[in-house]
C-alpha cells in the first residue's frame, strides 16, 4: 500500500518529532543524548607542524615544518637542496614543494648546503653558540661551519 505524498510527509514529521522529543526527554532526565566513551581522548584539529615519521631518520632530528620542505632519498630525483654533514658520507636531501616553506631540525657538523633551485633559500645555523641566518644563493653552494672557515656548525632550519 502506497501512502500519498501528504501522508508520507506527515508520518516523517511525526517520526522526527518523536525522536527529538525522546532526545529532549533523555537530556532533561540527565541522560546525555550522545555519550562519548569515558576513556576517549579529545582530538584536536589544530596543526602542530610536527614532522611526520621523524623517528625514521636516525641521523637527523626533524622537529617541525609546514609540509613544503620534505626530506627525501637523494636518488629520488626530486632534490631541491643538499645538506652535507660530517655525520655521514652522503648528503641529506630535501625536496621543496614550492618557493616558500620551512623545516626546523637539528643536524650537527654541517659544512655545506647546496641550493638546486632558482629561488632564495636560507639556513639558520649555530656556530660557537651564536645563531645566524645564512643565505644560500640560487643554484649554488654555501659553506657553513668548517666549510666557511669557522668551527663546527649545527643546522637548525631551512627556509625558502
Amino acid at each position: 500500500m502506497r501512502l500519498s505524498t501528504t501522508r508520507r510527509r506527515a508520518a516523517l514529521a511525526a517520526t522526527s518529532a518523536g525522536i527529538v522529543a525522546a532526545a529532549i526527554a533523555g537530556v532533561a532526565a540527565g541522560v546525555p543524548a550522545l555519550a562519548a566513551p569515558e576513556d576517549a581522548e579529545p582530538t584536536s584539529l589544530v596543526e602542530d607542524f610536527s614532522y611526520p615519521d621523524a623517528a625514521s631518520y636516525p641521523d637527523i632530528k626533524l622537529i617541525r615544518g609546514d609540509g613544503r620542505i620534505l626530506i627525501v632519498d637523494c636518488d629520488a630525483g626530486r632534490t631541491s637542496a643538499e645538506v652535507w654533514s660530517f655525520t655521514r658520507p652522503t648528503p641529506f636531501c630535501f625536496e621543496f614543494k614550492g618557493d616558500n616553506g620551512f623545516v626546523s631540525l637539528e643536524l650537527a657538523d654541517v659544512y655545506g648546503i647546496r641550493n638546486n633551485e632558482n629561488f632564495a633559500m636560507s639556513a639558520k645555523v649555530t656556530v660557537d653558540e651564536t645563531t645566524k641566518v645564512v643565505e644560500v644563493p640560487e643554484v649554488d653552494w654555501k659553506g657553513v661551519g668548517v666549510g666557511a672557515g669557522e668551527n663546527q656548525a649545527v643546522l637548525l632550519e631551512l627556509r625558502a
Side-chain angles (χ1 to χ4, degrees), residues 37-63:
E38 290 183 29
D39 61 346
E41 288 292 321
T43 59
S44 173
L45 296 177
V46 177
E47 174 64 62
D48 67 358
F49 295 100
S50 63
Y51 199 95
D53 283 341
S56 300
Y57 306 96
D59 299 339
I60 185 172
K61 183 177 180 184
L62 299 164
I63 302 170

Side-chain angles (χ1 to χ4, degrees), residues 5-20:
T5 302
T6 305
R7 285 186 173 171
R8 277 186 283 169
R9 286 184 183 154
L12 180 60
T15 302
S16 298
I19 292 171
V20 170

Side-chain angles (χ1 to χ4, degrees), residues 84-142:
W84 292 84
S85 168
F86 289 116
T87 61
R88 72 180 195 185
T90 58
F92 293 89
C93 294
F94 294 87
E95 176 186 7
F96 288 40
K97 299 283 191 175
D99 59 0
N100 62 31
F102 82 95
V103 62
S104 298
L105 53 102
E106 284 182 26
L107 179 57
D109 301 329
V110 173
Y111 63 88
I113 302 168
R114 174 148 179 86
N115 180 353
N116 295 323
E117 297 292 346
N118 289 318
F119 51 78
M121 182 190 338
S122 64
K124 186 185 293 185
V125 297
T126 297
V127 178
D128 293 329
E129 298 180 17
T130 301
T131 301
K132 61 184 176 179
V133 175
V134 175
E135 299 300 322
V136 183
E138 297 176 12
V139 193
D140 203 357
W141 166 273
K142 180 70 173 182

